[in-house]
């Protein structure tokens, strides 16, 4: 059997999560690898959530918020973008391929985009294979993760 | 909390919606293995009364103190179950929903995968709810004033309902008069009663009502605040005529330096002319002229003897008028900004702007109107009556190149125009249609009547309108070329006049309004309702409602129904007097705060200040809207967000992954 990736989606309440609801009402099938949890705003996404997901066995993390200018809280998505860029630089230092993290702007009406992104990203992560923390001892990472996240 | 955590898990079948994709028995067994779970049940419809009573019974008899419902999306029923918890004597926030319908059963191919995914969501919810804390939610008073943006039939209808109930209404319209598109129509389908006869009494009622403050030629510039407490800045464009002094006598218009109207009139869809100083139409409200700064000789070149000012007895004309701003406070907002007609020039093969006898439907409405530029006559450019007229349906609608949606009203108004043109000119009228959509009370009968009267209907989308004649009969005529899909052949119909039934599009500046109010829109640009069926006039933003065509194409009866529904929603809020604030606001754990002030900079609402004495940040709960960006930014985990605490989200992530 081929490798089934595990992907955590962290979606904002107003746009991306609404698109996920709409995908449901429109019965758009997408890979069950993606499991979405909800925050009020993509600006709430603490980089530690992403690291925590990888630490706990995620093979990919998909962040999604409102399109630029459409944020329900004015500019939370812009803050998310800045943190995303930082994380993209940081992940390889942990031995995690930067491609395992993705940020998308998905408006409340873009259920089709959600479906497309879910399919593309699942395939991409499937291609990368299971997360293996190349070159990093897992124990060290676990310690680091615990230490910071459970402050 | 010292008390032992006892979680009740309730799995909803949602009829067959969930049950046909998720193996409920397997999920029940799985739930029993999760930590702290003491009660596990399933039910056909958890949202029903008996479903909700299950929770109350278990709180009473089994002593559960946390609740997880695995059902639909929290945006649909989170409040339903929070209230059920509250009624059962449990703090409503000791509850979590697992969305196994929209995020799972409806989007997953196989039963196997859907069941596994449901387990993940359920585990995440159980993990999370164990960490939930009791919350008390703050309340805010609802300012009883209402702002209505847009003075078309939707805005007018909503304003009158509210004003009659004793509510103070600010009605803002960007044009010099209220009335919107409906004021341009001649007659309305399916009753053929005159638009002005039913609209103008409402317009004057708006003007006369002491509870309505009418702000025409004005635009909403800025909106701050939240439900119950919006602060709105309205820009009043200079009209150069003082509204309070003008008596609407027309003397200024008559005495204008330009003896004859010579500028295209916006209200007449540019087939009529106006002067630089004008009143858009005789029943305009307010009946006050406006001076167009782009054509007035004084305002453009400072060269004019100002005859208008001399003619004005009450001395209402003021060329020094500038932009003015009005600041108002309201508790609720109704957006009724309407639509704009599709620009027919975008489809060059239909010849609008190229052939002088190709008109848009709104231009023909103006011709048919007795106060319009032709005094109610349908005339060709040469002043003669047409003998043959073609009406082209679906211009810019149901067309992959322009708009995919159906504009809904064009079939009916095209049939109306056909009947009116036939009645006024005796011309042969041909309707070119894709499908006739006459769904509505007495609409089909209206269509039948048109056929009985001898209006022709040709089923086929028009390919082009051309003046290149292929036969003697076509010479000097406009030829409409279409494939008649009932006959299965291409037909060429020579006519004198072509009417393009343009579709409806979102207003040009709707994005500005949308961004200002933080509303969403559909892929086509129409404002998005909270729920397409159950909350059609509410929006994702609490206290902001939508009515009429800004939400999507609709006819007058539907628009009025929505407007009155929106007024009802606003009244309901006002009558309640206060509303619960968002529960998910942020707070600072003072003992952890190092006083770095990073959070102050990221807060979009200025809700965080710095306590200089204790050297810690402080969040004002009344200003916090609960986005949580300060929480993500805080380096010492001092900032936290209710219902979205770090620990809760970690637990949820672990849950979906383990």
């Amino acid at each position: 059997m081929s490798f089934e990736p595990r992907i955590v989606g962290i979606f904002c309440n107003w746009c991306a999560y609404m698109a996920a609801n709409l995908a449901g009402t429109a019965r758009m099938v997408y890979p069950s690898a993606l499991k979405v949890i909800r925050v009020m705003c993509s600006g709430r996404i603490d980089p530690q959530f992403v690291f925590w997901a990888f630490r706990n066995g995620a093979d990919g993390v998909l962040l999604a918020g409102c399109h630029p200018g459409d944020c329900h809280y004015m500019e939370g998505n812009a803050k998310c973008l800045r943190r995303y860029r930082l994380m993209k630089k940081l992940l390889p230092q942990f031995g995690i391929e930067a491609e395992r993290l993705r940020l998308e702007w998905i408006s409340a009406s873009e259920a089709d985009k959600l479906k497309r992104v879910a399919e593309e990203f699942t395939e991409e992560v499937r291609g990368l294979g299971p997360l293996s923390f190349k070159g990093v001892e897992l124990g060290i990472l676990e310690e680091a993760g615990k230490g910071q996240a459970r402050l | 909390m010292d008390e032992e955590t006892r979680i009740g898990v309730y799995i909803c079948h949602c009829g067959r919606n969930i049950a046909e994709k998720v193996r409920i028995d397997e999920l029940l067994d799985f739930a029993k293995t999760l930590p702290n779970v003491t009660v596990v049940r399933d039910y056909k419809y958890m949202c029903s009364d008996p479903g909700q009573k299950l929770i109350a019974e278990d709180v009473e008899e089994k002593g559960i103190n946390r609740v997880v419902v695995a059902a639909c999306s929290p945006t649909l029923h989170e409040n339903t179950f929070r209230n059920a918890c509250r009624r059962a004597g449990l703090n409503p926030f000791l509850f979590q929903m697992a969305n196994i319908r929209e995020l799972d059963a409806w989007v997953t191919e196989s039963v196997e995968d859907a069941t596994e995914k449901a387990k993940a969501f359920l585990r995440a919810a159980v993990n999370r709810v164990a960490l939930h804390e009791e919350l008390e939610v703050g309340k805010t008073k609802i300012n009883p004033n209402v702002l209505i943006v847009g003075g078309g039939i939707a805005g007018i209808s909503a304003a009158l309902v509210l004003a009659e109930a004793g509510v103070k209404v600010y009605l803002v319209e960007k044009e010099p008069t209220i009335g919107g598109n409906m004021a341009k129509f001649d007659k309305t389908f399916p009753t053929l009663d005159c638009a002005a006869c039913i609209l103008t009494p409402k317009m004057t009622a708006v003007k006369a009502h002491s509870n309505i403050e009418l702000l025409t030629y004005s635009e909403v510039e800025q909106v701050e605040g939240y439900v119950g407490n919006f602060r709105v800045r309205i820009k009043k464009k200079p009209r150069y005529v003082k509204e309070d002094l003008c008596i609407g006598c027309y003397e200024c218009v008559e005495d204008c330096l330009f003896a004859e109207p010579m500028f295209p009139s916006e209200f007449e869809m540019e087939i009529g002319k106006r002067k630089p100083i004008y009143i858009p139409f005789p029943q305009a409200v307010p009946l006050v002229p406006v001076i167009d700064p782009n054509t007035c000789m004084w305002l453009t070149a400072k060269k004019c003897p100002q005859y208008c000012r001399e003619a004005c007895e009450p001395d209402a004309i003021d060329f020094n008028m500038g932009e003015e701003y009005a600041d108002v406070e309201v508790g609720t907002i109704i957006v009724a900004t309407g639509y704009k007609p599709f620009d027919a020039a975008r489809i060059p093969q239909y010849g609008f702007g190229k052939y002088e006898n190709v008109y848009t439907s709104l231009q023909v409405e103006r011709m048919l109107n007795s106060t319009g530029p032709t005094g109610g006559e349908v005339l060709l450019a040469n002043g003669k009556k047409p003998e043959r007229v073609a009406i082209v349906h679906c211009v810019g609608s149901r067309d992959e190149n322009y708009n995919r949606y159906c504009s809904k009203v064009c079939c009916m108004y095209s049939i109306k125009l056909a009947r009116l043109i036939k009645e006024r000119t005796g011309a042969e009228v041909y309707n070119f249609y894709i499908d006739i959509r006459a769904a509505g009370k007495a609409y089909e009968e209206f269509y039948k009547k048109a056929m009985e009267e001898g209006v022709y209907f040709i089923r086929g989308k028009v390919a082009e309108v051309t003046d290149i004649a292929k036969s003697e009969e076509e010479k000097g005529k406009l030829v409409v070329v279409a494939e008649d899909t009932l006959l299965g052949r291409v037909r060429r119909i020579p006519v004198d006049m072509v009417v393009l039934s343009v579709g409806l599009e979102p207003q040009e500046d709707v994005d500005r309004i949308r961004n200002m109010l933080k509303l969403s829109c559909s892929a086509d640009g129409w404002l998005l309702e909270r729920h397409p069926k159950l909350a059609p006039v509410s929006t994702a933003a609490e206290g902001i409602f939508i009515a009429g065509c800004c939400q999507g194409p609709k006819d007058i009866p539907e628009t009025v129904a929505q407007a009155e529904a929106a007024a009802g929603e606003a009244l309901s809020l006002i009558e309640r007097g206060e509303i619960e604030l968002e529960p998910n606001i942020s707070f600072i754990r003072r003992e952890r705060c190092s006083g770095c002030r990073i959070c102050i900079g990221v807060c979009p609402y200025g809700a965080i200040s710095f306590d200089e004495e204790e050297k810690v940040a402080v969040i004002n709960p009344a200003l916090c809207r609960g986005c949580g960006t300060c929480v993500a930014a805080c380096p010492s985990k001092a900032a936290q967000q209710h219902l979205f605490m770090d620990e809760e989200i970690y637990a949820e992530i672990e849950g979906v992954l383990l």
Side-chain angles (χ1 to χ4, degrees):
Chain A
M1 213 181 117
S2 73
F3 157 63
E4 262 314 306
R6 295 195 288 178
I7 298 172
V8 177
I10 310 180
F11 282 21
C12 88
N13 180 61
W14 304 98
C15 293
Y17 196 81
M18 289 308 249
N21 279 337
L22 182 61
T25 21
R27 312 296 199 275
M28 290 180 174
V29 171
Y30 59 82
S32 67
L34 174 66
K35 313 228 170 28
V36 171
I37 70 165
R38 179 173 68 118
V39 288
M40 292 311 284
C41 177
S42 55
R44 172 67 182 93
I45 301 172
D46 189 326
Q48 298 240 27
F49 297 168
V50 174
F51 302 134
W52 191 254
F54 285 124
R55 201 196 88 90
N56 282 285
D59 301 299
V61 177
L62 174 65
L63 312 179
C66 308
H67 282 269
D70 280 1
C71 176
H72 186 79
Y73 303 102
M74 308 219 265
E75 50 189 21
N77 49 2
K79 284 156 191 149
C80 180
L81 177 63
R82 280 158 66 179
R83 291 171 189 145
Y84 170 72
R85 291 196 174 135
L86 181 75
M87 286 185 269
K88 290 289 249 187
K89 283 187 182 159
L90 213 52
L91 283 172
Q93 299 178 27
F94 287 120
I96 301 172
E97 297 91 335
E99 299 77 44
R100 291 185 187 274
L101 174 65
R102 184 156 165 179
L103 169 66
E104 288 286 346
W105 309 133
I106 303 176
S107 81
S109 60
E110 290 177 328
D112 50 342
K113 182 171 181 185
L114 166 67
K115 176 182 159 70
R116 182 171 55 75
V117 167
E119 284 168 352
E120 273 175 25
F121 191 51
T122 306
E123 274 322 298
E124 198 180 345
V125 175
R126 202 195 302 277
L128 288 168
L131 181 64
S132 61
F133 296 106
K134 289 186 185 67
V136 177
E137 276 182 55
L138 206 60
I140 297 172
L141 188 88
E142 228 162 81
E143 280 310 304
K146 260 184 204 154
Q148 288 177 29
R150 295 290 191 186
L151 237 169
Chain B
M1 195 176 283
D2 302 330
E3 198 188 354
E4 185 195 355
T5 304
R6 299 167 65 85
I7 302 173
V9 171
Y10 302 86
I11 298 164
C12 180
H13 296 210
C14 194
R16 290 180 48 77
N17 283 306
I18 293 171
E20 74 177 356
K21 267 291 161 65
V22 175
R23 285 194 290 264
I24 302 288
D25 289 344
E26 197 178 322
L27 197 59
L28 285 166
D29 287 340
F30 174 78
K32 287 173 191 154
T33 67
L34 296 171
N36 303 317
V37 172
T38 44
V39 178
V40 178
R41 291 185 197 281
D42 63 325
Y43 196 71
K44 209 152 190 67
Y45 292 103
M46 271 311 292
C47 57
S48 66
D49 262 355
Q52 295 183 44
K53 279 199 185 114
L54 289 177
I55 300 173
E57 281 165 20
D58 290 340
V59 170
E60 176 94 357
E61 290 161 21
K62 304 262 169 74
I64 57 164
N65 52 22
R66 295 278 195 288
V67 174
V68 168
V69 177
C72 53
S73 169
T75 50
L76 200 62
H77 274 311
E78 190 171 51
N79 273 336
T80 310
F81 294 117
R82 276 184 182 164
N83 287 332
C85 291
R86 197 195 310 261
R87 283 196 301 273
L90 207 59
N91 186 286
F93 300 101
L94 300 175
F95 160 77
Q96 177 69 17
M97 240 177 140
N99 182 350
I100 59 167
R101 195 179 74 169
E102 280 85 345
L103 290 194
D104 183 14
W106 279 351
V107 294
T108 308
E109 188 96 69
S110 74
V111 170
E112 198 60 45
D113 288 345
T115 307
E116 286 306 310
K117 197 173 181 184
K119 286 181 190 172
F121 282 137
L122 186 62
R123 181 173 44 210
V126 168
N127 271 0
R128 183 190 216 284
V129 83
L131 301 169
H132 280 203
E133 290 170 354
E134 289 192 2
L135 278 182
E136 289 309 319
V137 180
K139 287 184 173 172
T140 182
K141 289 228 175 326
I142 302 282
N143 181 318
N145 302 342
V146 180
L147 169 75
I148 300 179
V149 190
I153 183 60
I156 290 172
S157 303
L160 287 173
V161 168
L162 289 166
E164 283 298 307
V167 171
K168 168 91 180 172
V169 176
Y170 297 97
L171 180 59
V172 178
E173 167 58 50
K174 68 175 175 184
E175 300 294 335
T177 171
I178 55 170
N181 283 303
M182 186 178 169
K184 296 174 182 168
F185 302 163
D186 179 45
K187 293 204 160 69
T188 54
F189 63 78
T191 45
L192 287 187
D193 44 0
C194 112
C197 310
I198 53 179
L199 177 65
T200 48
K202 282 189 169 252
M203 289 165 64
T204 39
V206 163
K207 179 75 187 156
H209 210 295
S210 55
N211 284 338
I212 301 177
E213 188 167 333
L214 183 57
L215 297 125
T216 51
Y217 214 40
S218 302
E219 285 178 38
V220 176
E221 186 88 348
Q222 198 182 19
V223 177
E224 283 178 347
Y226 49 94
V227 54
N229 304 276
F230 292 108
R231 288 178 306 282
V232 183
R233 169 155 281 205
I234 301 162
K235 180 172 85 180
K236 298 167 88 173
K237 294 177 276 191
R239 192 188 263 274
Y240 303 105
V241 180
K242 290 179 188 155
E243 265 181 66
D244 48 342
L245 295 180
C246 174
I247 53 168
C249 67
Y250 276 87
E251 292 289 333
C252 54
V253 180
E254 269 155 32
D255 282 12
C256 176
L257 178 68
F258 290 90
E260 290 301 321
M262 58 179 298
F263 302 101
S265 159
E266 296 83 356
F267 186 82
E268 302 293 357
M269 305 311 291
E270 315 216 324
I271 58 166
K273 301 260 194 287
R274 62 159 172 81
K275 293 183 179 183
I277 184 165
Y278 65 100
I279 295 178
F281 64 108
Q283 299 99 325
V285 169
L287 194 64
V288 175
V290 56
I291 301 177
D292 173 20
N294 298 316
T295 50
C296 168
M297 285 304 281
W298 179 257
L299 290 170
T300 50
K302 296 269 180 276
K303 279 181 192 154
C304 180
Q306 299 190 356
Y307 293 138
C308 53
R309 216 155 66 90
E310 276 174 34
C312 183
E313 220 162 289
D315 204 15
I317 292 178
D318 174 11
F319 281 108
N320 296 322
M321 210 179 252
E323 281 176 2
E324 281 173 39
Y325 289 88
D327 291 315
V328 300
E329 292 188 352
V330 299
T332 44
I333 298 174
I334 297 174
V335 182
T337 48
Y339 67 92
K340 73 160 195 246
F342 176 82
D343 176 9
R346 282 169 62 194
I347 310 184
Q349 62 270 32
Y350 287 172
F352 181 75
K354 181 179 174 193
Y355 305 123
E356 55 184 358
N357 286 319
V358 177
Y359 293 98
T360 68
S361 42
L362 263 180
Q363 288 178 326
V364 176
E365 290 278 2
R366 291 314 302 154
M367 281 192 206
L368 286 162
N369 194 300
S370 57
T371 63
T374 56
E377 299 282 340
V378 178
L379 299 175
L380 298 169
N382 61 11
K384 287 188 182 156
K385 282 188 179 178
E387 288 171 5
R388 271 182 149 189
V389 177
I391 300 179
V392 181
H393 291 219
C394 299
V395 176
S397 311
R398 302 183 69 193
D399 186 331
E400 290 292 328
N401 296 316
Y402 305 98
N403 295 310
R404 286 187 304 170
Y405 56 83
C406 166
S407 289
K408 199 170 184 179
V409 294
C410 323
C411 279
M412 288 307 293
Y413 82 56
S414 299
I415 297 170
K416 172 193 76 179
L417 291 177
R419 289 182 63 181
L420 293 175
I421 292 170
K422 199 164 173 62
E423 173 194 296
R424 302 273 169 93
T425 64
E428 281 181 18
V429 183
Y430 294 83
N431 275 273
F432 292 85
Y433 68 97
I434 305 177
D435 299 289
I436 291 291
R437 296 188 166 170
K441 202 170 167 184
Y443 288 11
E444 182 68 15
E445 293 86 332
F446 188 78
Y447 168 41
K448 280 270 154 60
K449 188 89 171 76
M451 288 199 281
E452 282 165 24
E453 287 174 0
V455 174
Y456 299 116
F457 287 87
I458 296 175
R459 187 170 184 275
K461 190 167 168 62
V462 171
E464 65 167 337
V465 175
T466 175
D467 62 350
I468 299 170
K470 279 195 173 173
S471 67
E472 205 52 43
E473 188 200 10
E474 292 179 356
K475 279 208 174 113
K477 302 270 186 183
L478 290 169
V479 184
V480 180
V481 186
E483 187 197 348
D484 187 326
T485 54
L486 296 179
L487 293 178
R489 62 184 174 87
V490 174
R491 293 181 70 179
R492 296 172 62 90
I493 310 280
V495 297
D496 304 308
M497 177 189 265
V498 174
V499 182
L500 301 178
S501 293
V502 290
L504 277 51
E505 286 194 329
Q507 279 284 9
E508 233 139 65
D509 59 348
V510 73
D511 275 348
R512 195 181 62 86
I513 305 272
R514 198 167 66 74
N515 288 332
M516 205 157 52
L517 299 175
K518 298 295 161 206
L519 304 179
S520 299
C521 68
S522 67
D524 299 311
W526 304 106
L527 295 180
L528 203 62
E529 62 283 353
R530 184 180 289 173
H531 190 279
K533 296 177 188 73
L534 302 179
V537 299
S538 303
T539 65
E542 199 77 52
I544 301 180
F545 306 99
I546 49 178
C549 287
C550 62
Q551 183 261 346
K554 52 181 64 66
D555 58 22
I556 296 167
E558 283 178 336
T559 296
V560 173
Q562 264 203 344
E564 297 186 349
E569 290 276 7
L571 267 182
S572 162
L573 265 181
I574 294 164
E575 280 301 308
R576 257 178 275 168
E578 57 181 18
I579 186 173
E580 287 192 342
L581 290 166
E582 301 268 346
N584 46 278
I585 54 171
S586 301
F587 61 98
I588 305 276
R589 297 190 280 206
R590 299 172 84 97
E591 69 282 5
R592 279 173 181 263
C593 180
S594 65
C596 72
R597 305 179 213 195
I598 288 174
C599 55
I600 297 175
V602 297
C603 178
Y605 303 102
I608 314 180
S609 56
F610 191 67
D611 183 336
E612 289 289 351
E613 269 181 26
E614 293 201 39
K615 303 283 180 211
V616 290
V618 182
I619 296 178
N620 179 347
L623 294 178
C624 175
R625 302 283 305 278
C627 65
T629 194
C630 57
V631 188
C634 178
S636 42
K637 305 279 163 222
Q640 280 300 321
Q641 183 183 13
H642 289 306
L643 293 176
F644 292 91
M645 306 276 278
D646 280 346
E647 297 292 338
E648 291 167 356
I649 295 171
Y650 289 135
E652 208 175 350
I653 293 173
E654 283 171 30
V656 294
L657 281 169
L658 276 173

